[in-house]
Amino acid sequence: ILASCLALSGPAHSLGLERPLSKVLSGGVILPVIGQIIVSTAFQLLALAALYRQPWFVPFDPFSAPEPLDVATAERRWETGVLMIVVCWQLIINSLVFNVGRPFRQGLLTNRWLLGALIGLVVFNLYVLWA
């Protein structure tokens, strides 16, 4: 939803003095994406490391689980929950960082669909985090 809403930003009202990048695969485009992948991976690994340090945490071992593994009786999977919350917050941050605004597109506040999606995702994340 966020990727679709990012594209709904309208064009800028006036032309900027800067020219857009002529090559999509230039260093100015690829390096921030690679940097974001490295930062996202680092935060996910840090979140898992913090989870593993908790005294109450018992890692899930699929080989010691009773057969068959039923969703209703299964233990809580803390690894999946922690990664889901971290990735959801990273999606919000990435959509704000990579939202192309001035000088080529209109700003974030003019894209109501993106703002609605961001607010909805923030509310959902807070609900999941504190429920």
Side-chain angles (χ1 to χ4, degrees):
I1 293 176
L2 286 177
S4 300
C5 292
L6 278 171
L8 295 176
S9 294
H13 294 296
S14 62
L15 293 177
L17 297 176
E18 302 173 28
R19 287 184 58 185
L21 295 172
S22 59
K23 295 181 182 178
V24 176
L25 296 178
S26 65
V29 175
I30 295 296
L31 289 178
V33 172
I34 291 173
Q36 185 60 40
I37 291 170
I38 291 170
V39 169
S40 295
T41 304
F43 270 97
Q44 292 171 16
L45 291 174
L46 284 172
L48 281 177
L51 175 67
Y52 286 131
R53 282 194 223 122
Q54 300 301 317
W56 47 262
F57 174 70
V58 177
F60 174 68
D61 185 12
F63 299 109
S64 67
E67 295 292 333
L69 187 59
D70 186 17
V71 175
T73 61
E75 302 173 53
R76 294 179 81 175
R77 306 292 185 262
W78 288 102
E79 297 96 336
T80 306
V82 165
L83 284 179
M84 188 202 86
I85 291 172
V86 169
V87 167
C88 282
W89 285 110
Q90 286 177 339
L91 284 173
I92 293 169
I93 293 169
N94 286 343
S95 65
L96 291 173
V97 169
F98 287 110
N99 182 27
V100 179
R102 293 186 177 112
F104 309 114
R105 310 282 290 176
Q106 290 181 3
L108 173 68
L109 298 178
T110 61
N111 189 346
R112 292 187 178 124
W113 288 102
L114 180 60
L115 283 177
L118 285 173
I119 291 170
L121 192 55
V122 166
V123 168
F124 172 76
N125 285 345
L126 291 175
Y127 174 75
V128 169
L129 188 63
W130 300 111

